[in-house]
Amino acid sequence: MKFDSILGTIWLDADQHALTRVSYTPIVENPLADQAILTSAKQQLLEFLAGQRTTFDLPYVFETGTDFQQEVWHALTEIDFGTTCSYQAIAEKIQRPKAVRAIGQANRNNPLPIIVPCHRVIGKNGKLVGYSGASEAGLAIKAQLLAIENPMLQATLF
């Protein structure tokens, strides 16, 4: 499923049971995708982007990723709405304090951005670093997501 949002076009995919992908670039939709899951994901994402939702109530599954990446992605789901943490904090949370760069790579490969909130992870200096490949467009999306969650963060991150 493809839809327009304040972030630009977003693509979604699912299997018969759960959401499997959220993407800022085109993806091919699984022909067996549960359309009700995709419709619910679209609605919840639009509500989130409008500031009307703080959590997601969707089944999702990680179809890809190493055990380490999936461990990181699960840790990301524990970052509260409106807050941020550092890559170092995630590394310490999963008891791999030297894996900071690998945390960044796992975030970059997150198949469910926004739903699994990798945008809430910032540099230990409190500044924005990396999102969706670290492009300027990716950092702008990250800044927009953080501003939706906590407008007061804008003053400290930019």
Side-chain angles (χ1 to χ4, degrees), residues 131-140:
Y131 190 74
S132 190
S135 67
E136 268 192 51
L139 288 175

Side-chain angles (χ1 to χ4, degrees), residues 1 12-21 29-42 58-61 63:
M1 174 177 286
L12 304 174
D13 196 15
D15 61 19
Q16 300 95 319
H17 309 287
L19 186 68
T20 58
R21 297 268 320 267
E29 186 179 310
N30 179 342
L32 302 175
D34 182 318
Q35 293 301 309
I37 290 172
L38 293 176
T39 300
S40 181
K42 173 186 173 182
L58 293 165
Y60 64 84
V61 65
E63 290 187 322

Side-chain angles (χ1 to χ4, degrees), residues 67-87:
D67 289 345
F68 172 80
Q69 288 173 324
Q70 290 189 23
E71 184 179 13
V72 170
W73 300 334
H74 284 292
L76 297 176
T77 66
E78 296 176 17
I79 306 169
D80 291 333
F81 177 88
T83 64
T84 59
C85 73
S86 69
Y87 293 89

Side-chain angles (χ1 to χ4, degrees), residues 12-134:
L12 304 174
D13 196 15
D15 61 19
Q16 300 95 319
H17 309 287
L19 186 68
T20 58
R21 297 268 320 267
V22 174
S23 180
Y24 300 114
T25 59
I27 56 174
V28 177
E29 186 179 310
N30 179 342
L32 302 175
D34 182 318
Q35 293 301 309
I37 290 172
L38 293 176
T39 300
S40 181
K42 173 186 173 182
Q43 184 62 38
Q44 289 187 39
L45 283 163
L46 289 171
E47 289 169 0
F48 176 86
L49 295 172
Q52 300 167 345
R53 174 176 285 277
T54 60
T55 61
F56 295 96
D57 181 24
L58 293 165
Y60 64 84
V61 65
F62 299 123
E63 290 187 322
T64 61
T66 64
D67 289 345
F68 172 80
Q69 288 173 324
Q70 290 189 23
E71 184 179 13
V72 170
W73 300 334
H74 284 292
L76 297 176
T77 66
E78 296 176 17
I79 306 169
D80 291 333
F81 177 88
T83 64
T84 59
C85 73
S86 69
Y87 293 89
Q88 182 68 50
I90 295 293
E92 290 169 3
K93 179 171 189 56
I94 65 168
Q95 299 179 349
R96 298 188 187 203
K98 297 191 184 301
V100 175
R101 290 182 132 197
I103 302 292
Q105 285 302 322
N107 278 7
R108 183 179 186 165
N109 291 307
N110 176 5
L112 296 162
I114 308 174
I115 306 292
V116 174
C118 55
H119 62 276
R120 295 179 186 153
V121 183
I122 61 175
K124 71 178 179 181
N125 64 357
K127 299 297 180 189
L128 287 183
V129 292
Y131 190 74
S132 190

